[in-house]
Amino acid sequence: MHEDQPAEAAPQATRPAREGRDGALRQDGQRQDGQRQDGPRSDRPRGRGRPPGDRPKRREISGWVILDKGVGMTSTHAVAAVKRALNAKKAGHAGTLDPLASGILPIALGEATKTVPFVMDGRKAYVFAVTWGVETDTDDAEGRPVATSDDRPTQEQVEAMLPRFVGAIEQVPPRYSAIKIQGERAYDLARDGEVVELVARPVQIDRLAVVAHTPERTVIEAECGKGTYVRAIARDLGRALGCCGHVSALRRTRVGPFTEDQSCTVAALEAAEAEANAAVLRPVETALDAVPHVPVSRDMAMRLMRGQPVILRGRDAPTEGKAYATCGGVLVAVGDVERGELVPHRVFHLGGTAPRNG
């Protein structure tokens, strides 16, 4: 499987992927559609039998760690590892990446957890492999074959078909997905042997490009929005080409504003001291990269912190939509601008615990 993968662009994962709650591709081991919590022992939180008095004191620390998650680790265990490495009190991730996938897993610490929805709604980029000749009931390599073909597409045929799946399209999610049908997850119904019929949903796919090709497998780069199922892209592409196909590998290369060149690994974090690891933190407001920014006075900041709206003045002040406010370079609140007033929906208590831009 690995011989035809280019050194730079091919996915590092070697097994199938699943989508997360935002529709991004996810691996079967841990997924929104049927989470498995039995990750490798090596990535389980250590020190469970340690007396409470011997445990490091958790710190109030806020910011983003852009983790390059390796194959074999669940997102839950990755969060625990980062939390432990930085002795952080609170942590969560923005968009699950399954154990058998690798790549970008943004982890929010402290006050950054309040900005997770902004990252979840951001654009995502993947490199994934489609293996031809077999379609499975899960649309990945761990599923049961439901259709086969001896035909194999050429690279030119694949490239000619990709534009059909770019733009605002209607996509039928995989039967093994977290979508609810009358209160039940589709994957639960499918596992029970029930016939699961999901309706097509609108999704946005910005880019699909072939980066490597052999007769048996094609590696594709994808840029897409929330709710897109990459497994469904592979399935539908195989059907359109008349040769069947399923996803066989995945690497996530971008989530919202976060990219591979900003990332670090669990091994690097575990090898350093907690204080040194604080240097890898990115500011909380990094997650608000696409949101307009307004500086406010100390008095205005105090009003926002109490949940009260403030009037925005100045020629460049936004008049409608989302915005976030800072005072002295410190994030204060994020909310909606309505008729010239910023109405806070999330307030932040950062003080000196978070890194600042610049």
Side-chain angles (χ1 to χ4, degrees):
M1 177 179 293
H2 298 279
E3 302 89 346
D4 58 330
Q5 293 186 7
E8 296 297 328
Q12 297 176 8
T14 58
R15 294 180 66 191
R18 287 279 190 262
E19 287 83 349
R21 61 170 59 98
D22 61 347
L25 201 62
R26 305 186 58 189
Q27 291 292 340
D28 186 63
Q30 176 201 330
R31 60 193 183 202
Q32 190 71 12
D33 41 335
Q35 285 196 347
R36 181 196 306 157
Q37 298 298 335
D38 54 343
R41 287 185 179 274
S42 60
D43 60 49
R44 291 179 182 175
R46 292 174 289 182
R48 289 183 177 178
R50 186 182 298 167
D54 293 341
R55 293 174 184 168
K57 184 178 180 180
R58 298 296 185 184
R59 300 186 299 159
E60 295 283 358
I61 185 169
S62 296
W64 284 93
V65 173
I66 315 308
L67 190 70
D68 188 340
K69 189 191 79 64
V71 174
M73 177 176 281
T74 69
S75 295
T76 300
H77 292 135
V79 171
V82 171
K83 186 178 179 181
R84 180 177 64 248
L86 278 77
N87 288 337
K89 283 190 174 182
K90 186 178 182 181
H93 63 74
T96 301
L97 189 63
D98 277 7
L100 301 177
S102 66
I104 300 304
L105 179 67
I107 296 180
L109 301 180
E111 293 291 280
T113 56
K114 297 176 181 177
T115 63
V116 164
F118 292 92
V119 178
M120 298 282 284
D121 287 343
R123 317 305 291 175
K124 298 173 181 66
Y126 299 91
V127 181
F128 66 100
V130 183
T131 294
W132 306 111
V134 179
E135 180 178 322
T136 70
D137 58 353
T138 59
D139 300 322
D140 62 31
E142 288 196 345
R144 179 179 57 86
V146 293
T148 61
S149 173
D150 293 330
D151 294 334
R152 298 293 183 268
T154 65
Q155 180 169 338
E156 291 73 22
Q157 288 174 323
V158 175
E159 289 175 334
M161 189 62 67
L162 291 181
R164 180 183 299 187
F165 300 94
V166 175
I169 67 170
E170 293 285 319
Q171 184 186 76
V172 178
R175 289 183 294 166
Y176 284 80
S177 64
I179 294 173
K180 287 190 175 182
I181 302 174
Q182 297 180 345
E184 297 287 338
R185 298 289 186 188
Y187 58 75
D188 286 330
L189 297 174
R191 286 172 181 163
D192 289 340
E194 296 189 33
V195 177
V196 177
E197 297 293 341
L198 296 172
V199 298
R201 305 185 307 170
V203 298
Q204 178 69 35
I205 301 174
D206 297 320
R207 177 175 173 266
L208 291 172
V210 172
V211 294
H213 177 82
T214 69
E216 298 299 323
R217 192 175 75 154
T218 303
V219 178
I220 299 172
E221 289 181 338
E223 296 178 10
C224 53
K226 180 178 180 181
T228 303
Y229 284 83
V230 182
R231 278 184 293 150
I233 297 175
R235 176 200 66 206
D236 295 342
L237 188 59
R239 291 176 180 177
L241 290 166
C243 61
C244 303
H246 64 270
V247 167
S248 56
L250 166 74
R251 179 171 175 81
R252 186 159 67 188
T253 58
R254 178 168 62 85
V255 179
F258 302 128
T259 57
E260 291 177 293
D261 60 356
Q262 304 165 339
S263 66
C264 60
T265 64
V266 167
L269 292 173
E270 291 180 338
E273 296 295 329
E275 292 294 336
N277 280 334
V280 307
L281 282 178
R282 302 187 68 80
V284 174
E285 60 267 30
T286 309
L288 306 174
D289 181 64
V291 180
H293 162 235
V294 291
V296 297
S297 67
R298 182 176 176 81
D299 288 342
M300 295 170 71
M302 294 299 292
R303 286 183 58 85
L304 290 170
M305 294 290 286
R306 292 194 295 266
Q308 300 171 341
V310 298
I311 298 175
L312 300 180
R313 304 184 187 280
R315 183 176 56 186
D316 298 327
T319 56
E320 298 290 338
K322 297 287 184 184
Y324 73 92
T326 61
C327 180
V330 177
L331 180 62
V332 173
V334 61
D336 290 313
V337 179
E338 302 172 0
R339 292 190 290 272
E341 282 191 333
L342 175 58
V343 181
H345 296 312
R346 288 283 188 273
V347 298
F348 299 85
H349 306 275
L350 292 172
T353 67
R356 298 186 184 183
N357 283 321

